[in-house]
Amino acid sequence: KLPIEPDSIERMNVHVFDSNLNELWTNDISLPFTMTDYLQKSILLDNDGSVFLLCQKFFTKRLYRNARLVRHDSFENILFKFPKESKDGAKLVLSIPNKSLTDISIFLPQTGGVLCSGYYCEKNSYGVVVGSFVFVIDREKLQIDSQGLSPFIESFNNQYMTQASDSPVFDVSPSCAVHLGDGQVLIFSEQSRDYTTSYAYFMHGDHISTTAENHIHNDIFVRRISSRDSVNWLSRIPKRQYSEGYLNLFTGYVVSVIDGVTHLLFNDSENNIAIDPWEDVAQFEVEGEHATLMWVAVDSVGRVYREPLVQPGSLEFAVQPALCIAMPDGRVMLYASRKKEYRFGLVTFD
């Protein structure tokens, strides 16, 4: 971003490089609103050098500071396109009549239109998510060519996507995506929440206060969308991961996709090996007799299979999913640690 004055138009300088880090072009881009009016969600670069920018534009400035707490109809989602070496960008408001869109992500397949997907609510519903959507957007004209809606089944929606008025706010924004080719994309979202708690007490006449960082990484949602304007399926992978402080290193998951089958690895408890999709889920463990590394496979039609990768209680080192790497050949390199020791390993999926 370029230096700006308060309440001035937002500007940024874009530098585009090739695979050898040779600069292809550079340009200053100006957005038609101020930095207090909007929230930048993602920025992508097309093969022809065009820049696509996804933003949330708030209707009043004060709502900008509490973006996660406002109603979904308090802002609009806008997609900008800035062609190569052009200061004049095109603008597309992403909307569906009588619906409010949230948790939007955009993808640029090698061919075809821009894929845009997320969740939707009914207007004035205060964030009750009822389904998933996908747009196919013409890259040149920046207009919606086709769209598809996929409502959630009632049991799924009531238990996992409906937010009670007194419940904490969970983020279900997409955390990663995998292109399968032919306009097919897998989108991975995790039900997460981070918050801080503070404690104050007296000990031997002294006032002592402590602060703890709390992290929740729960269910994983896998959506398969297609450039044929359809949400093919949505699957839920149940897990419960609550941690404080450094234990957050052991939450989350790593994903690899081979021949249309999705493989996920995460720390879990043996009590969740044969879990029913709708029953309570046990809290994960990183050490002890119940701790295990769970392997979950999702096939090409969304069916979920799970089993422990190692025998429960046999883990000598705890895996840190954020530091694990899915390799191009489909194998996963694991990083695990225990106190000051660490180990590396490779997982091959048959």
Side-chain angles (χ1 to χ4, degrees), residues 20-250:
N20 295 317
L21 296 183
N22 298 313
E23 187 170 87
L24 298 178
W25 62 273
T26 182
N27 195 18
D28 290 342
I29 291 177
S30 297
L31 300 178
F33 37 73
T34 68
M35 64 177 297
T36 56
D37 292 330
Y38 90 109
L39 184 65
Q40 180 178 312
K41 302 297 291 184
S42 62
I43 182 169
L44 297 178
L45 177 66
D46 206 351
N47 289 333
D48 66 356
S50 299
V51 174
F52 288 89
L53 181 66
L54 178 65
C55 301
Q56 286 180 345
K57 171 67 169 60
F58 294 90
F59 298 133
T60 58
K61 293 182 181 180
R62 64 183 178 84
L63 294 177
Y64 171 82
R65 299 180 178 86
N66 297 299
R68 293 296 306 173
L69 304 180
V70 300
R71 283 170 38 173
H72 293 122
D73 54 2
S74 298
F75 58 84
E76 60 182 359
N77 298 283
I78 303 176
L79 179 64
F80 291 94
K81 177 187 176 181
F82 297 93
K84 177 181 178 180
E85 299 177 342
S86 172
K87 296 182 181 294
D88 299 322
K91 169 184 173 182
L92 173 65
V93 177
L94 303 173
S95 63
I96 299 175
N98 302 315
K99 302 287 190 286
S100 296
L101 309 184
T102 183
D103 297 306
I104 295 179
S105 52
I106 56 174
F107 309 95
L108 296 175
Q110 290 298 319
T111 59
V114 179
L115 295 183
C116 171
S117 184
Y119 302 115
Y120 66 86
C121 319
E122 300 297 340
K123 281 285 188 181
N124 304 315
S125 63
Y126 291 86
V128 180
V129 175
V130 295
S132 186
F133 74 91
V134 59
F135 294 147
V136 180
I137 301 170
D138 186 288
R139 296 193 195 207
E140 297 299 324
K141 301 177 182 178
L142 202 66
Q143 64 183 25
I144 297 175
D145 283 343
S146 56
Q147 68 181 45
L149 301 181
S150 179
F152 296 145
I153 61 173
E154 185 175 359
S155 57
F156 183 96
N157 184 64
N158 289 342
Q159 191 158 1
Y160 299 104
M161 304 305 290
T162 301
Q163 192 71 53
S165 59
D166 58 348
S167 298
V169 176
F170 283 93
D171 187 1
V172 289
S173 300
S175 52
C176 69
V178 176
H179 292 262
L180 302 178
D182 299 327
Q184 305 285 325
V185 179
L186 287 175
I187 306 174
F188 299 86
S189 305
E190 189 177 44
Q191 192 181 47
S192 62
R193 178 177 177 239
D194 299 314
Y195 62 98
T196 301
T197 52
S198 298
Y199 306 92
Y201 55 92
F202 286 93
M203 178 179 289
H204 306 301
D206 295 327
H207 182 269
I208 300 175
S209 61
T210 60
T211 300
E213 297 292 332
N214 303 269
H215 310 278
I216 299 176
H217 294 266
N218 286 348
D219 300 342
I220 302 169
F221 300 102
V222 185
R223 280 182 293 151
R224 180 167 178 159
I225 67 173
S226 116
S227 57
R228 295 185 295 274
D229 61 56
S230 62
V231 181
N232 301 121
W233 46 260
L234 182 146
S235 298
R236 166 189 170 256
I237 300 168
K239 68 181 178 72
R240 291 292 179 272
Q241 294 179 329
Y242 167 79
S243 63
E244 291 184 3
Y246 81 96
L247 287 177
N248 189 45
L249 297 172
F250 307 108

Side-chain angles (χ1 to χ4, degrees), residues 295-349:
W295 166 58
V296 174
V298 184
D299 66 16
S300 59
V301 294
R303 291 173 298 196
V304 177
Y305 309 88
R306 63 192 295 149
E307 65 179 67
L309 190 67
V310 297
Q311 288 299 315
S314 64
L315 282 175
E316 297 182 3
F317 291 79
V319 172
Q320 297 186 24
L323 299 180
C324 297
I325 299 174
M327 304 174 69
D329 61 5
R331 294 181 298 169
V332 171
M333 185 181 74
L334 298 180
Y335 175 83
S337 64
R338 182 183 62 184
K339 296 182 179 179
K340 295 184 179 181
E341 299 181 81
Y342 62 89
R343 292 289 187 273
F344 293 95
L346 283 175
V347 178
T348 301
F349 303 103

